[in-house]
Coordinates of all heavy atoms in Angstrom, one line a residue:
M1 N 142.0 74.9 118.0 CA 141.9 73.7 117.3 C 140.8 72.8 117.8 O 140.1 72.2 117.1 CB 143.3 73.0 117.4 CG 143.4 71.7 116.7 SD 145.0 71.0 116.8 CE 144.7 69.5 115.9
L29 N 151.3 74.6 127.1 CA 151.5 74.7 125.7 C 150.2 74.9 125.0 O 149.1 74.4 125.4 CB 152.2 73.5 125.1 CG 153.7 73.3 125.5 CD1 154.2 72.0 124.9 CD2 154.5 74.5 125.0
T30 N 150.2 75.6 123.9 CA 149.0 75.8 123.0 C 149.3 75.0 121.7 O 150.4 74.7 121.4 CB 148.7 77.3 122.7 OG1 149.8 77.8 121.9 CG2 148.6 78.1 124.0
W31 N 148.2 74.8 120.9 CA 148.4 74.2 119.6 C 149.4 75.0 118.7 O 150.2 74.4 118.1 CB 147.1 74.0 118.9 CG 146.2 73.0 119.6 CD1 145.0 73.2 120.2 CD2 146.5 71.6 119.8 NE1 144.6 72.0 120.8 CE2 145.5 71.0 120.6 CE3 147.6 70.8 119.5 CZ2 145.4 69.7 120.9 CZ3 147.6 69.4 119.9 CH2 146.5 68.9 120.6
P32 N 149.3 76.3 118.7 CA 150.3 77.1 117.9 C 151.8 76.9 118.4 O 152.7 76.9 117.6 CB 149.9 78.5 118.0 CG 148.4 78.5 118.2 CD 148.2 77.2 119.1
D33 N 151.9 76.7 119.7 CA 153.3 76.4 120.2 C 153.8 75.1 119.6 O 155.0 75.0 119.3 CB 153.2 76.2 121.7 CG 152.9 77.5 122.5 OD1 153.2 78.6 121.9 OD2 152.4 77.4 123.6
L34 N 153.0 74.1 119.4 CA 153.4 72.9 118.8 C 153.5 73.0 117.3 O 154.6 72.6 116.7 CB 152.5 71.7 119.2 CG 152.8 70.4 118.6 CD1 154.0 69.8 119.2 CD2 151.6 69.4 118.8
K35 N 152.5 73.4 116.6 CA 152.4 73.4 115.2 C 153.3 74.5 114.5 O 153.5 74.4 113.3 CB 151.0 73.5 114.7 CG 150.1 72.3 115.2 CD 148.7 72.5 114.8 CE 148.5 72.2 113.3 NZ 147.1 72.3 112.9
G36 N 153.7 75.5 115.3 CA 154.4 76.6 114.7 C 155.9 76.3 114.5 O 156.7 77.0 113.9
R37 N 156.4 75.2 115.0 CA 157.8 74.8 115.0 C 158.2 74.1 113.7 O 157.3 73.7 112.9 CB 158.2 74.0 116.2 CG 157.5 72.6 116.2 CD 157.8 71.9 117.5 NE 157.1 72.5 118.7 CZ 157.3 72.1 120.0 NH1 158.1 71.1 120.2 NH2 156.7 72.7 120.9
A38 N 159.5 74.0 113.4 CA 159.9 73.3 112.2 C 159.4 71.9 112.2 O 159.4 71.2 113.2 CB 161.4 73.3 112.1
R39 N 158.9 71.4 111.0 CA 158.3 70.1 111.0 C 159.2 69.1 110.3 O 159.7 69.3 109.2 CB 157.0 70.2 110.2 CG 156.2 68.9 110.2 CD 154.9 69.0 109.3 NE 154.0 70.0 109.8 CZ 153.1 69.7 110.7 NH1 153.0 68.5 111.3 NH2 152.2 70.6 111.1
P40 N 159.5 68.0 111.0 CA 160.3 66.9 110.4 C 159.5 66.1 109.4 O 158.3 66.3 109.3 CB 160.7 66.0 111.6 CG 159.5 66.2 112.6 CD 159.1 67.6 112.4
A41 N 160.2 65.4 108.5 CA 159.5 64.7 107.5 C 159.6 63.1 107.7 O 160.7 62.7 108.1 CB 160.1 65.1 106.1
P42 N 158.6 62.4 107.3 CA 158.7 60.9 107.5 C 159.6 60.3 106.4 O 159.9 61.0 105.4 CB 157.2 60.5 107.3 CG 156.6 61.5 106.4 CD 157.3 62.8 106.8
D57 N 152.2 57.3 107.4 CA 153.5 57.7 107.3 C 154.4 56.8 108.1 O 154.1 56.5 109.3 CB 153.7 59.2 107.9 CG 153.1 60.2 106.9 OD1 152.9 59.9 105.7 OD2 152.8 61.3 107.4
W59 N 158.1 56.2 109.8 CA 159.3 56.9 110.3 C 160.3 55.8 110.6 O 160.0 54.9 111.5 CB 159.0 57.7 111.5 CG 158.0 58.8 111.2 CD1 156.7 58.7 111.0 CD2 158.3 60.2 111.1 NE1 156.1 59.9 110.8 CE2 157.0 60.9 110.8 CE3 159.4 61.0 111.2 CZ2 156.9 62.2 110.7 CZ3 159.3 62.4 111.1 CH2 158.1 63.0 110.8
M72 N 151.0 54.4 115.7 CA 150.7 55.7 116.3 C 149.3 56.2 115.7 O 149.1 56.1 114.5 CB 151.8 56.7 116.0 CG 151.6 58.1 116.7 SD 153.1 59.1 116.6 CE 154.1 58.3 117.9
H74 N 146.6 59.5 115.7 CA 146.4 60.9 116.1 C 145.0 61.0 116.6 O 144.1 60.2 116.4 CB 146.6 61.8 114.9 CG 145.5 61.7 113.8 ND1 144.3 62.4 113.9 CD2 145.5 61.0 112.7 CE1 143.6 62.1 112.9 NE2 144.3 61.3 112.1
I82 N 139.9 68.8 112.3 CA 140.6 69.3 113.5 C 142.1 68.8 113.4 O 143.0 69.6 113.8 CB 139.9 68.8 114.7 CG1 138.6 69.5 114.9 CG2 140.8 69.0 116.0 CD1 137.8 69.1 116.1
A83 N 142.3 67.6 113.0 CA 143.7 67.1 113.0 C 143.8 65.9 112.1 O 142.8 65.2 111.7 CB 144.1 66.6 114.5
D84 N 145.0 65.7 111.6 CA 145.4 64.5 110.8 C 146.7 64.0 111.4 O 147.2 64.4 112.4 CB 145.5 64.8 109.3 CG 146.6 65.8 109.0 OD1 147.5 66.1 109.8 OD2 146.5 66.4 107.9
R85 N 147.3 63.0 110.7 CA 148.4 62.3 111.2 C 149.6 63.2 111.5 O 150.5 62.9 112.3 CB 148.8 61.1 110.3 CG 149.3 61.6 108.9 CD 149.5 60.4 108.0 NE 150.0 60.8 106.7 CZ 149.3 61.4 105.7 NH1 148.0 61.6 105.9 NH2 149.9 61.7 104.6
T86 N 149.7 64.3 110.8 CA 150.9 65.2 110.9 C 151.0 65.8 112.2 O 152.0 66.4 112.6 CB 150.8 66.3 109.8 OG1 149.7 67.1 110.0 CG2 150.8 65.7 108.4
L87 N 149.9 65.8 113.0 CA 150.0 66.3 114.4 C 151.0 65.5 115.2 O 151.5 66.1 116.2 CB 148.6 66.3 115.0 CG 148.4 67.0 116.4 CD1 148.6 68.6 116.2 CD2 147.1 66.8 117.0
M88 N 151.3 64.3 114.8 CA 152.1 63.4 115.6 C 153.6 63.5 115.1 O 154.4 62.7 115.5 CB 151.6 62.0 115.6 CG 150.1 61.9 115.9 SD 149.7 62.4 117.6 CE 149.9 60.8 118.4
D89 N 153.9 64.3 114.1 CA 155.2 64.3 113.4 C 156.4 64.4 114.4 O 157.4 63.7 114.3 CB 155.3 65.4 112.4 CG 154.5 65.1 111.1 OD1 154.1 63.9 111.0 OD2 154.4 66.0 110.3
W90 N 156.2 65.3 115.4 CA 157.4 65.6 116.3 C 157.7 64.4 117.2 O 158.9 64.1 117.4 CB 157.1 66.9 117.0 CG 157.0 68.0 116.1 CD1 158.0 68.8 115.6 CD2 155.8 68.6 115.5 NE1 157.5 69.7 114.7 CE2 156.2 69.6 114.7 CE3 154.4 68.3 115.6 CZ2 155.2 70.4 113.9 CZ3 153.5 69.0 114.9 CH2 153.9 70.0 114.1
I91 N 156.7 63.8 117.7 CA 157.0 62.6 118.6 C 157.3 61.4 117.8 O 158.1 60.6 118.2 CB 155.8 62.3 119.6 CG1 154.5 62.1 118.9 CG2 155.7 63.5 120.6 CD1 153.4 61.6 119.8
A92 N 156.8 61.3 116.5 CA 157.2 60.2 115.7 C 158.7 60.3 115.3 O 159.4 59.3 115.4 CB 156.4 60.2 114.4
D93 N 159.1 61.5 115.0 CA 160.5 61.8 114.7 C 161.4 61.5 116.0 O 162.5 60.9 115.9 CB 160.7 63.2 114.3 CG 162.2 63.6 114.0 OD1 162.7 63.0 113.1 OD2 162.7 64.4 114.8
D94 N 160.9 61.8 117.1 CA 161.7 61.6 118.4 C 161.8 60.1 118.6 O 162.9 59.6 118.9 CB 160.9 62.2 119.6 CG 161.7 62.0 120.9 OD1 162.7 62.7 121.1 OD2 161.3 61.1 121.6
L95 N 160.8 59.3 118.4 CA 160.9 57.8 118.6 C 161.9 57.2 117.6 O 162.7 56.4 117.9 CB 159.6 57.2 118.5 CG 158.6 57.3 119.7 CD1 157.3 56.6 119.4 CD2 159.3 56.8 121.0
A96 N 161.8 57.7 116.3 CA 162.8 57.2 115.3 C 164.2 57.5 115.7 O 165.1 56.7 115.5 CB 162.4 57.8 114.0
R97 N 164.4 58.6 116.3 CA 165.8 59.0 116.8 C 166.2 58.1 118.0 O 167.4 58.0 118.3 CB 165.8 60.5 117.2 CG 165.7 61.4 116.0 CD 165.6 62.9 116.5 NE 165.4 63.8 115.4 CZ 166.3 64.3 114.7 NH1 167.6 64.0 114.9 NH2 166.0 65.1 113.7
H98 N 165.3 57.5 118.6 CA 165.6 56.5 119.7 C 165.5 55.1 119.3 O 165.3 54.2 120.1 CB 164.6 56.8 120.9 CG 165.0 58.0 121.7 ND1 164.6 59.3 121.3 CD2 165.7 58.2 122.8 CE1 165.1 60.2 122.2 NE2 165.7 59.5 123.1
V100 N 163.2 53.5 117.2 CA 161.9 52.9 117.0 C 161.3 53.3 115.7 O 161.2 54.5 115.5 CB 161.0 53.2 118.2 CG1 159.6 52.6 118.0 CG2 161.6 52.8 119.5
V102 N 158.1 54.1 113.4 CA 156.7 54.5 113.8 C 155.8 54.4 112.5 O 156.1 54.9 111.5 CB 156.7 56.0 114.3 CG1 155.3 56.5 114.5 CG2 157.6 56.1 115.5
N104 N 152.6 55.7 111.5 CA 151.7 56.8 111.9 C 150.5 56.8 111.0 O 150.6 57.3 109.9 CB 152.5 58.1 111.9 CG 151.6 59.3 112.4 OD1 150.7 59.1 113.2 ND2 152.0 60.5 112.1
V148 N 150.3 53.6 120.3 CA 150.3 54.9 121.1 C 149.3 55.8 120.4 O 149.3 56.1 119.2 CB 151.7 55.6 121.1 CG1 151.6 56.9 121.7 CG2 152.8 54.7 121.7
H150 N 146.8 59.5 120.9 CA 146.6 60.7 121.7 C 145.1 61.1 121.6 O 144.5 61.2 120.5 CB 147.5 61.8 121.1 CG 147.2 63.2 121.7 ND1 146.8 64.2 121.0 CD2 147.4 63.6 123.0 CE1 146.7 65.3 121.8 NE2 147.1 64.9 123.0
L186 N 147.3 58.6 125.5 CA 147.8 59.9 126.0 C 146.5 60.8 126.1 O 146.1 61.2 125.0 CB 148.8 60.5 125.1 CG 150.0 59.5 124.7 CD1 150.9 60.2 123.7 CD2 150.7 59.1 126.0
V275 N 148.3 69.5 125.1 CA 149.3 69.6 124.1 C 150.6 69.0 124.5 O 151.4 68.4 123.7 CB 149.5 71.0 123.6 CG1 150.5 71.2 122.5 CG2 148.1 71.6 123.2
E276 N 151.0 69.2 125.8 CA 152.3 68.6 126.3 C 152.4 67.2 126.0 O 153.6 66.6 125.9 CB 152.4 68.9 127.8 CG 152.7 70.4 128.1 CD 151.5 71.3 128.2 OE1 150.4 70.8 127.9 OE2 151.6 72.4 128.5
L277 N 151.3 66.4 126.0 CA 151.4 65.0 125.8 C 152.0 64.5 124.5 O 152.5 63.4 124.4 CB 150.0 64.4 125.9 CG 149.2 64.6 127.2 CD1 147.8 64.2 127.1 CD2 149.9 63.9 128.4
I278 N 152.0 65.4 123.5 CA 152.7 65.1 122.2 C 153.7 66.1 121.8 O 154.0 66.2 120.6 CB 151.6 64.9 121.1 CG1 150.7 66.1 121.0 CG2 150.8 63.6 121.4 CD1 149.8 66.1 119.7
A279 N 154.3 66.8 122.7 CA 155.4 67.6 122.5 C 156.7 67.0 123.0 O 156.8 66.6 124.2 CB 155.2 69.0 123.1
P280 N 157.7 66.8 122.1 CA 158.8 65.9 122.5 C 159.7 66.4 123.6 O 160.5 65.6 124.2 CB 159.6 65.8 121.2 CG 159.2 66.9 120.4 CD 157.8 67.2 120.7
E281 N 159.7 67.7 124.0 CA 160.6 68.2 125.0 C 160.0 68.2 126.4 O 160.6 68.6 127.3 CB 160.9 69.7 124.6 CG 159.8 70.7 124.9 CD 158.8 70.8 123.7 OE1 158.8 69.9 122.8 OE2 157.9 71.7 123.7
T282 N 158.8 67.7 126.5 CA 158.1 67.7 127.8 C 158.3 66.6 128.7 O 158.7 65.5 128.3 CB 156.6 67.9 127.6 OG1 156.1 66.7 127.0 CG2 156.2 69.1 126.7
W285 N 156.1 63.6 127.6 CA 156.6 62.8 126.5 C 157.8 61.9 127.0 O 157.9 60.8 126.6 CB 156.9 63.6 125.3 CG 157.5 62.7 124.2 CD1 158.7 62.6 123.8 CD2 156.7 61.6 123.6 NE1 158.8 61.6 122.8 CE2 157.6 61.0 122.7 CE3 155.4 61.2 123.6 CZ2 157.2 59.9 121.9 CZ3 155.0 60.1 122.8 CH2 155.9 59.5 122.0
A286 N 158.6 62.5 127.9 CA 159.7 61.7 128.4 C 159.1 60.4 129.1 O 159.7 59.3 129.0 CB 160.5 62.5 129.4
T288 N 156.3 59.0 128.4 CA 155.7 58.1 127.4 C 156.9 57.4 126.7 O 156.8 56.2 126.4 CB 154.9 58.8 126.4 OG1 153.8 59.4 127.1 CG2 154.3 57.9 125.3
R289 N 157.9 58.1 126.3 CA 159.0 57.5 125.6 C 159.6 56.3 126.4 O 159.9 55.3 125.9 CB 160.1 58.5 125.2 CG 161.2 57.9 124.4 CD 162.5 58.7 124.5 NE 162.3 60.1 124.1 CZ 162.5 61.1 124.9 NH1 163.0 60.9 126.2 NH2 162.3 62.4 124.5

Side-chain angles (χ1 to χ4, degrees):
M1 182 174 178
L29 290 178
T30 66
W31 293 116
D33 290 335
L34 179 69
K35 298 179 72 175
R37 62 187 72 186
R39 185 183 296 277
D57 286 341
W59 299 72
M72 187 167 281
H74 72 82
I82 292 177
D84 61 19
R85 67 189 182 280
T86 62
L87 191 64
M88 312 296 269
D89 283 351
W90 296 276
I91 57 172
D93 178 67
D94 181 77
L95 284 179
R97 292 175 184 274
H98 284 82
V100 177
V102 178
N104 186 20
V148 175
H150 175 243
L186 312 177
V275 181
E276 284 84 357
L277 298 171
I278 54 171
E281 73 278 10
T282 64
W285 179 248
T288 300
R289 185 202 304 122

